[in-house]
Amino acid sequence: MSVILITMPEARERSTVEHFALRTEVDEDDGLDFASGLAELGHQVYFVDWVDFGEGRSSRMFSYRDQRFVPPRPVETMDLIFAYNFKNHAANLDLFFRMLHCFETVPAIVVNEPLLIRHNLDKSYYWDLERASIRVIPNYEVSTRLRRQFEAGQRLVLKPRHGECGVGIHLVSSVKELGLVEGRESDYIAQHFMLEIRCGERSLVFLGREFSHAVLKMPAPGDPREFRCNESLGGTVHVYRPTTEEMDFALAVLDGYSSLGHVPHFSRVDLIDTETGPCLMEAELMNPSMFANYSGSGTRFGRAVASYLDGLLRMDGQRREQQI
């Protein structure tokens, strides 16, 4: 039996001694399916809210087996840490980096690894993937040099480098509108606005390189000004079957990340279809909503995640035995 820690989105105002209340705005109760699958395999599972991490431990901890809050165990006693959800991290980066530092200083397996999370946190990862021959939306640093793009009739999307859930994103069409981020230009990137987003964003979910399921996310219906596909902004989600070309592209994105020295274990690749083929919208390797329950596959996906994590633990155990 291994000891596994999962970061979960707690609704603390609704939690009790015997209940870890989840914030489930976007299908996030799938974490319970992960825990159930891991428990079926004999693992001991604990939940924590990521904001509670301090010096080597969380201030609060919930035992899934005992179904109650228990005295927190030190992080170094964990065999595997599943960094699953850290809602609102972009607004609390100091706390977020404190949590990552905890994970970086222990011998446990961390999924996804902290170095990958740090890399994926900053939207500059687009340029690294582009250098790895991945087709990405054209990206620019924010400055008045974007004037040429505007003069050519190109609209641009300003995205926070450390963004989350579509918050702080602006669609602009002139140098004057860059004033929306005046004094904070280095905190943003600029992307071409792609009309293809009106046809939806394809989101493909993977465990390692193994495909699990996909959804099609659409911008809010009836609002021609809204281009973001986030549910929190009125977007809709539909079960989707990806094409072979889309599947190959998503795997190439994951391989591109691996070529940078970061192997994704738990990921969602968001893409749009363009005249030249699939194009990357986001490589969601930290804090991704997985949308498994939309297709009624939450239990299956939970068991698949549990089996994948169990496999990582077994491989780590074999590696340790060979070193003895």
Side-chain angles (χ1 to χ4, degrees), residues 6-40:
I6 306 179
T7 62
M8 298 279 269
E10 184 187 3
R12 188 169 304 188
E13 68 280 3
R14 293 190 282 109
S15 287
T16 66
V17 172
E18 297 179 342
H19 178 59
F20 188 99
L22 291 172
R23 297 193 185 280
T24 57
E25 289 92 336
V26 187
D27 200 38
E28 289 167 346
D29 55 339
D30 52 8
L32 297 177
D33 293 318
F34 306 157
S36 176
L38 288 164
E40 287 176 2

Side-chain angles (χ1 to χ4, degrees), residues 213-217 237-242 291-297:
H213 58 276
V215 296
L216 174 66
K217 298 183 295 181
V237 179
H238 313 270
V239 177
Y240 181 71
R241 184 187 295 272
F291 303 103
N293 288 302
Y294 282 84
S295 57
S297 59

Side-chain angles (χ1 to χ4, degrees), residues 106-126:
V106 298
I109 301 169
V110 183
V111 175
N112 284 317
E113 65 175 29
L115 277 176
L116 183 151
I117 291 173
R118 286 185 182 274
H119 185 267
N120 193 236
L121 175 66
D122 192 316
K123 293 296 189 292
S124 61
Y125 75 77
Y126 287 117

Side-chain angles (χ1 to χ4, degrees), residues 127-144:
W127 287 299
D128 289 334
L129 289 179
E130 188 174 29
R131 285 189 286 270
S133 301
I134 301 301
R135 186 185 301 111
V136 303
I137 297 172
N139 295 275
Y140 309 93
E141 294 183 349
V142 179
S143 73
T144 54

Side-chain angles (χ1 to χ4, degrees), residues 83 86 96-97 100 104 110-123 125 128-129 208 253-268 283-288 308:
F86 10 92
F96 180 71
F97 287 129
L100 275 187
E104 289 168 331
V110 183
V111 175
N112 284 317
E113 65 175 29
L115 277 176
L116 183 151
I117 291 173
R118 286 185 182 274
H119 185 267
N120 193 236
L121 175 66
D122 192 316
K123 293 296 189 292
Y125 75 77
D128 289 334
L129 289 179
V253 171
L254 298 181
D255 290 342
Y257 239 109
S258 294
S259 75
L260 302 175
H262 307 298
V263 178
H265 292 293
F266 187 76
S267 60
R268 194 188 83 218
E284 296 282 7
L285 308 183
M286 50 167 285
N287 204 39
Y308 185 87

